[in-house]
Structures are given as structure tokens and as C-alpha cells.
Amino acid sequence: MDNPDLTAAPSDEIRRTTCYMCACRCGIDVHIKAGEVSYIEGNRAHPVNRGVLCAKGAAGLMQHLSPARLNAPMKRTGPRGSGQFEEIPWEEALTLATDRLTRIRHEAPEKLAFFTGRDQSQSFTSFWAQNYGTPNYAAHGGFCSVNMAAAGIYTMGGAFWEFGQPDWERTKLFLLFGVAEDHDSNPIKMGLARLKARGARTVGINPIRTGYNAIADDWFGITPGTDGLLILSLVHELLRSGKIDLDYLARFTNAPVLVNGNPDSPEHGLFLRDADGKPLVIDRATGTLTPFDRKGVRPDLAATYQSEGHTHRPVFQHLAERYLSDAYSPDAVAGRCGIPAPRIRALAAELARVAFDEAFELPIVWTDFRGERHESMTGRPVSFHAMRGISAHSNGFQTCRALHILQILLGTVEVPGGFRFKPPYPKPAEAHPTPHCAANPDSPLDGPHLGFVQSPADLALKPDGTPARIDKAFTWENPMSAHGLMHMVISNAHAGDPYRIDTLFLYMANMAWNSSMNTRGVMEMLTDTDENGDYRIPYIIYSDAYSSEMVAYADLILPDTTYLERHDCISLLDRPISEADAAADAIRWPVVEPKRPGHAGVRGFQSVLVDLANRMKLPGFTAEDGSPLWSDYADYIANHERRPGIGPLAGWRGDGTDSGRGAPNPEQIERYKENGAFWMHHIPQEAQYYKPWNAAYQDWAVQLGIFDAPTPYLFQLYVEPMRRFQLAAEGHGDTQPPEHLRAHVRAAMDPLPHWSEPLEQQATDGTEYPVHALTQRPMAMYHSWGSQNAWLRQIHGRNPLYVPTKLWQRHGFAEGDWARVTSPHGEIVVPVAHMAALNENTVWTWNAIGKRKGAWALDRDAPETTKGFLLNHLIHELLPPRGDGLRWANSDPVTGQAAWFDLRVRLEKTTAPADAAARPDTGAQTSPVPPAPARVTRKVGA
């Protein structure tokens, strides 16, 4: 090969936008030469990554040039799943979609199920679905981390990642629980570097020691599904030793709030309230019953209140009584957790020592929501971070709640050195909408689809008590399913349970492969026919940028652009890029125009939705005279107002000088482009900590449009809405669960966190299936996108099953061996590799490496299709039958999150298949795009 010219300039121009190679949303400098992308590097001025860019971000060039890109709209010509399509003009494609969607909307809008995958425009897609009028909308959170998000919001008004971050500059002890390495990777890596430089200590709690855990100072190789037990044992030790922040608990949480202790009352277990509905406490100074927010009140954690022969105790006493139980002692939990009791005690002692012995003060004057002035802010330098690893279990909601409570007991949330919220969080659960589901022909839905229920009256039920949504979100089976249950949509639609749908409309959701449990079963459901030969799911519209496994199952394909060819809005109304010290949002914009062979080309999906809305004249998209309000998504971003003065983007509003609130500015997107595609607005110093209770922060948030009025609140150690569901199960109230679900609701909706064995494990014979099996995402991949990427494939082109030393030796494995892995649902035959840094009874592999032959424009003998595999074949979306005739989802009973990580398997050594390819072999797909050439060369600007 000729020697490259190292003196040549990499570009003629740099265009700054936002990365989409993971959910980090880093700023990138895209080098353009002769009108083409030549190179991508980090934007050093960007608040998220400050110039740091990971392998995924740099490889965005290969994503943009992928041979798997779809090139034109297509309609199916052969049997579903055959991959037989013909290209059609956009006008024909949009007419086909409009005609079908219009008919459904006129007859029964609930027969459209519109679900989106890992897009970052959920504020917009939900707005579209709401105005269309279907109750059946959600994004991928239900099979990702809704347990973490919902548990955090119900407990303290936010959770980890985009909700908040550690105080990287001041924390001295950092604990990671089950962190997914593909999410938020650059900020975490930069933060860990800062901690290492300062000599701060990091502890990893994860069955698998890779990535962040590999560089931790200490590692706890916990048994999967027992994180909640470990956390509550730490709570036990802190309570037993008196190492909790009593002042913080009394002032900022509902620990002193009195709980109705009359067992005969229909309000038993609810809070005592005054005539204005305010929770009541006992004032330590006067001994009287007092609203929690009265100026000068000193809430008492120990006082009780006697009324009509009954004792009403504060939340703190209920909490202490539960967790001081011997059932949560280190000795009691050590065997289940796989962590020796002395190590648990040592970790609790270290948490206490750093939180209290290394506490410090910042000389920052602030005023709390009760009007009390404070001369300083107390720092407790302990912080946590957690993600899918503790969330994707059927006990995940209560585990995440337990972790948030552990932080709160130490007084480390929203204080210097601890965990800090990012605007627009924190928000109490009551500040979010409740879910809506009333669908009527030719009408918008009566409100937002998703939200946070406060009582059984908020459930998404039809008048007859049956589920109103196809995924059964917000029902008695999973009342607090704030993100929906995307993993149940296809299964329920196929079964006609709770009703039949007409059209499944999916965006960037690879449900025919790695985004589904029971992968083979889902593929069969997508092609299954009834007794008349008609598909049980009658019509499927699918939009994606690439020829994924799901494409072959569509009836109509609407091809999306790559992220460098589109407008996107990373909004304060959705999932912004804020930092703890500042509100921030961002855009993507077409740094290059789409170029595809032929005449049809591709269009950004959000602009396609605007076009469809305009053709159907959907409310919210249509002016009074019937004309469209917006021509495309960029027009929507700049000119839509969610409420007066509040739009998708907060920067450069009005005449270009307003922030947060202000009239639409037609030049707004141009201002973002000039500023590196982001906007940032800093929080005043006196408002940067104690956000839920800090009057200065509340005023700042109102000024910016986050709130319309100050909204201070207490952290909820005891979640009263959950108790309302228990009361319904006990026979109180107008809305009650069906008889067969009373015990289920009573057990699941415990207002104080508890630990229970994961549901699938309860239903699985632990002797026959003794080994835990997990998947996790590698840093170099983002879901299924990365393993079609020419550069990233060189990092992860195959994925063995990693086996710990104990099992490796027991089964007599050697390098190059294969194993048969069996679950109650199926079996796989895969290559194995030895890994010592692993829980001794757990096997694992990387997810999203394995690909189906024929998909993604990969060669049919590519390593991803032969040595790559999925554990999804071993996991089912339903729990094993209980003998009651019901279809129980393999999900958390509180939120409905998919319980991916509850899998138990049997491991056996076996011979390699004759073709040395992993099993099962699902056969090859026919793709609408041709396989990539064996060799590609490219010279930009020649």
C-alpha cells in the first residue's frame, strides 16, 4: 500500500453536532472534505465529553458509511419474513401508511400499536401518538432500566445517569452497582480518572469484573439478583451502629411523617394529613401535630401520636423496625449474596466512616423551603452509580428503591460530595403526569400515555376493568409501569390478549432479534397466520436506517437517515445533556445531505411523522384553517410550544436572548449550530445543592421554565401511593383488583423496600438449572448497531460464553471447547472461555454481537453469525406456567420491566458442531440490501 500523506489536512471544514453512537450524547467535530465526512473527533468545548471520544464515537464514520444502510421505501412482495421487497417512491409509501392509519383512527385508534426503540426523541413521538389517539405507545425503557428510573422518581425525584451524577470533584468513596458499560461511558471514565487522580476509592458491586469494575479498588462479585439483599444488609448495619444522618432525615425526607396506625381504618398505612392535605409531623420543640413544611418546625423522628386508642408512628420507626430485623444481618444474607459477612460489615463501616468522619462544610449561604437561612452546606463525600445490572430483575424496583434509601440514610443526595441531580430533575412523582388511555375515533388521546400513578384510579383500565393498552402497562399486574412493556407487545398482539390490533408500527426496535426475549418464538409470532391464512398481526410498518433482522418482517419499510444526516432534539422535555451545575440541551443537524443510489432516498423518521400527521390533519399538528403547523421536524423543533413560552429547545428563545422561557425563534437552530450544537445555562452557586429544598434553586427552575411555581418536596422513604394499592387489595376503595390478583398486589406494592427471590428463579428448579446466566453490553458497542461497524467489529467480532474457574474445572473445559447451555425454555451450543474475575456460579456473554445470517449486510460466514450468539434464545417473555391459566409476564410486578437477568441454566461440555457455528441456527435471511464487498477503499477529496 502507498504511504499515506501525513501532512494533508483532514478537512476543509468542521461541522459540530451530537454523537449518536451511544446514549452519552457527546459533542463531536465532524470533519468535512469535498462535501463528505472524513473524520470525527470530540468537541473540546462540549459539557458532556470535553473533547473525549470513545471508540464508538470515532467509529461513527463507519456507521454513516455502513453498507447495511437502507436506500429507499419498500413494500413486501413475498411472504412475511422472506425478505422479498420492491422499492417504491416515497409518495406511494406515505399514501399506503396514511390510508391505513387514517382508517384505523376512524374506526378504533387503539388498534394501532406504535412503539419506538432506542431513539432519543420520545417527547416528540409520544406527542404524535397522543394526537393520533392510540393508547398504545411507549419506548424501550420497559426492557432497559425503568426500574431504576421509576424507583428513583418515586423515592427522591430522579435517579442515575441523565437524572444525576456524582460530585466528581469532591466525592471520596464511589460505589458502582451493575453499571452497563455502553451507557454514559465517557463521563464515567472521565469521572473515574478524576477520582483516581485524587486518591478517592472506588468499589464495584457486580457479578462480572470488566470495564469500570476492573479498575475498582475493590470488587464484590455478588450473586445475580441479590443486590437488594446486600443493600438492605448495609442499611441494617448503619441503623444498628447509629451511622445515619438524623438531621437530614428529619428535615428533608418523610421519615418523621406520621403513618395511620388504625388497622380498622380505610386509611391504615397512609399519612396523617391536615385539612389542606399536607403530611403531618410532630414538632420537636412544641410536641404538637404540625404540617411538615411550617416555618420553624423541627420534625421529630421518634415521637408518636395517640388518637382514638391507636398509635400513629413516624415512617422512620417503621423503617427501623423492618431493617433492624435479624433477617437483614450480614450473617443472614451472606450465603445468598455470595459475599462473606465480614466484607459486608467492612463496607458498611467504610460508608459510615467516609460519610461522617470525612464530612466537610462549604461556606455557601442558602435558604430552605421553610424559610430558614443556613450559613453553610454540609458535604458527605460518598456517591453511587447504578444501571441495568440491578434493574433488570423481577425484584429490581424494590432493589433500586433500597439503593436510593441507602443514599438518603447517609445524607449523600444533593449535598457536596454526594449524588447531584441534573436539571430538569429533581421532580417529585406528583409533578409528572399520570397515564392516560381513553381512545375515541378521530380524536386525540385524553392526555399523555406514560406517567406516574398515584392511586388505583390512575390505572390504564377500560370501564370493564380489562387492560386498555396492548402491553398491559398500568394494570394490576404491573401498576407503576412508567415506561410501558415493549417486550410484551408482540406476544400480546399475537395472542389477542387483551384485544386484537390492526397495525404494529415500530421505529428502530430490533424486535426480531436481540431486543426480544424468546427470539425464535417472536419471529414465529410475526409470521404466524390464523385459520383463514391471515397474519395474526395483520400489518407491520417499520422504520430503521439499517437492514436489521426486523426489516424482513415488515410489510412497509420507511428508511431512516443516519445520525449525521438528520435533525434531532435532545431536549429538557425529554432526555437532556444537563450537568449538575447547569441546564443544557442539544441538537443534531444534517452535517451532510443523505446520498443513496436511485431516486427515492431516505428521510428522517421524525420528519416522516410530521408528514403523516399533516396528511391525516392530526390535532396538534394542524392549524384551525386545516393547514400544517410544521413542514418537517426541524420546523417543529424551532416553533412548537408545549405550553406558552416552553418549547423543545431552551436556548436562544424569543429575540435570541431568552433562555428557558420565550417565544419561538425561527433562527434558533442556527444559533445552536454556531455554538457547537448545544446550549448551557449555569445554576447560581447558592442554588447548586439541596435542589429539592433550596429556595434559590426553586426560583431559578421557575425562571427557566422547569416549574411554573416552586415545587419543594420531601424524599419518600415510604412511598404512600404503593400503600394505596395495597389498601385496594385489602378491599378498600372504589377501584379494586380482581380476586385472583389481590395477593399479588399486596405482596408487590410494599411501600418500604423488601427483597424477594426473583420470580423466574422461584419457578425454576435450582437443582436442574443451578447456574446464573447474564449478558452485558461492551463499551465498544451500542445495542445491535455496533456489530455491523467495520471498525468496531475488529474489537468484538465474536462472543464466547465466559465461565468462572470453579465451573470451568468442574466441567473439565479447555481452551477451544464448546458447551451446551440449557434453560427451561431452550438450549444453545456455544464456544466457551475461562474468566476468573466472575461470580463463581455465573456465566455470561456480551450481548448484541451475535447476528442472524443475511442481516446487516454482513457476509453469511462472518464471525458474528457463526461464533456470535444470543442468550435471548434461553429467555422467555412469560414465566413458566403456574397452573392458574394466566399469562404471567417475566417482568417486575411493580413496573413491568423485563427481567432479563433472572435466567438460570444448566451447563454441559459438548463437542463443537461440524461447521463450528453456534446453535441454534435460525437460517439465513434475505436482505433488501446486498452483502458488503469483501474489500472497500475510500479516499476523500481526491
Side-chain angles (χ1 to χ4, degrees), residues 435-454:
H436 296 77
C437 63
N440 293 291
D442 293 323
S443 300
L445 203 66
D446 57 333
H449 300 82
L450 306 176
F452 292 82
V453 301
Q454 299 299 319

Side-chain angles (χ1 to χ4, degrees), residues 853-930:
K853 291 181 180 180
W856 298 99
L858 297 176
D859 186 273
R860 293 197 177 195
D861 294 323
E864 290 86 355
T865 70
T866 55
K867 300 298 191 296
F869 65 92
L870 301 177
L871 281 188
N872 305 50
H873 297 293
L874 303 179
I875 308 171
H876 206 287
E877 78 275 6
L878 300 176
L879 290 170
R882 300 182 181 183
D884 56 9
L886 301 176
R887 302 172 75 247
W888 291 92
N890 185 12
S891 309
D892 189 296
V894 180
T895 65
Q897 170 161 348
W900 295 96
F901 294 166
D902 289 347
L903 179 63
R904 296 284 291 267
V905 300
R906 180 173 65 250
L907 192 65
E908 304 167 84
K909 184 177 178 180
T910 191
T911 57
D915 59 357
R919 297 292 189 272
D921 182 353
T922 56
Q925 285 186 314
T926 298
S927 174
V929 300

Side-chain angles (χ1 to χ4, degrees), residues 406-481:
L406 175 59
Q407 296 181 92
I408 292 167
L409 290 174
L410 289 166
T412 65
V413 181
E414 263 306 309
V415 301
F419 173 78
R420 306 175 65 193
F421 289 114
K422 303 176 185 179
Y425 298 94
K427 290 183 179 182
E430 296 84 359
H432 294 266
T434 55
H436 296 77
C437 63
N440 293 291
D442 293 323
S443 300
L445 203 66
D446 57 333
H449 300 82
L450 306 176
F452 292 82
V453 301
Q454 299 299 319
S455 75
D458 297 327
L459 292 176
L461 301 173
K462 292 183 177 181
D464 63 1
T466 60
R469 292 174 52 107
I470 190 65
D471 59 355
K472 299 186 182 179
F474 307 110
T475 65
W476 293 107
E477 294 179 33
N478 31 255
M480 292 178 162
S481 40

Side-chain angles (χ1 to χ4, degrees), residues 248-257 408 693 714-717:
Y248 183 98
L249 292 171
R251 290 163 57 196
F252 305 137
T253 81
N254 68 1
V257 171
I408 292 167
W693 322 292
L714 300 176
F715 284 171
Q716 302 294 295
L717 303 177

Side-chain angles (χ1 to χ4, degrees), residues 250 255-258 281-285 287-288 297-304 314-317:
V257 171
L258 293 162
V281 300
I282 298 293
D283 185 1
R284 209 166 52 238
T288 59
V297 68
R298 292 290 184 273
D300 196 324
L301 294 172
T304 60
V315 164
F316 183 72
Q317 290 189 21

Side-chain angles (χ1 to χ4, degrees), residues 260-270 272 308 310 312 723 727 730 732:
N260 188 314
N262 180 357
D264 300 320
S265 169
E267 296 186 348
H268 178 228
L270 301 182
L272 297 188
E308 299 179 353
H310 299 286
H312 308 290
R723 177 59 192 155
L727 283 170
E730 293 165 8
H732 298 287

